[in-house]
Amino acid sequence: MACRIGELVLGCRDPEALARFWCEVLDFVVLDREDNEYFEIGPREGFGGPQPTIILSRRDEPEPGKSRLHIDVNATDRDQDAELERLLELGARPADVGQTGEESWHVLADPEGNEFCLLRARIRPL
């Protein structure tokens, strides 16, 4: 038997704002919240489905060093260029991590600077 990812946890200064951002990016909904300190977002069917949920937890100070976790996303209903435009309109911004410009993905940062990548391959929606 193997494990699978049930949830990802991301520390942030403004969990509510990041919950709105990632809900729009991933077509997720807020599943649970505790004041403005903690938001759990995920697919409409909730925790335990084919996709992990994301826990956004308030952290006033960023942890030292570079995060070892980032999220990769794939468009489901449009090509990569159209999805890039949508993500930028939602508040993402390009991030430079030393890429050459020849990559098939785009490195972006969410509104709090957490890096994530938009991959080229399109995947079927669930």
Side-chain angles (χ1 to χ4, degrees), residues 10-13 57 59-68:
L10 181 60
C12 56
R13 288 182 298 277
S57 179
R59 299 283 181 269
D60 291 327
E61 295 296 322
E63 295 178 19
K66 181 175 169 56
S67 173
R68 293 177 182 245

Side-chain angles (χ1 to χ4, degrees), residues 10-126:
L10 181 60
C12 56
R13 288 182 298 277
D14 189 346
E16 185 173 13
L18 276 192
R20 282 193 308 270
F21 174 82
W22 283 110
C23 281
E24 286 293 322
V25 170
L26 301 170
D27 191 30
F28 275 13
V29 296
V30 174
L31 300 170
D32 191 18
R33 70 180 285 176
E34 185 176 301
D35 300 318
N36 284 329
E37 300 297 311
Y38 160 100
F39 283 75
E40 180 178 13
I41 64 171
R44 284 163 175 59
E45 63 269 11
F47 178 79
Q51 295 187 81
T53 61
I54 299 174
I55 306 293
L56 300 157
S57 179
R58 181 177 302 283
R59 299 283 181 269
D60 291 327
E61 295 296 322
E63 295 178 19
K66 181 175 169 56
S67 173
R68 293 177 182 245
L69 173 70
H70 75 264
I71 297 170
D72 288 341
V73 298
N74 298 73
T76 59
D77 63 349
R78 63 196 83 201
D79 67 22
Q80 185 187 41
D81 290 338
E83 184 63 2
L84 176 62
E85 185 176 323
R86 185 181 84 89
L87 295 175
L88 293 171
E89 287 172 3
L90 290 173
R93 62 186 185 281
D96 183 358
V97 296
Q99 59 269 45
T100 65
E102 300 297 316
E103 294 82 6
S104 62
W105 61 87
H106 294 278
V107 182
L108 302 168
D110 71 16
E112 286 201 7
N114 300 299
E115 295 166 0
F116 68 102
C117 294
L118 170 62
L119 305 182
R120 177 180 291 160
R122 223 160 91 175
I123 58 175
R124 279 185 276 159
L126 294 173

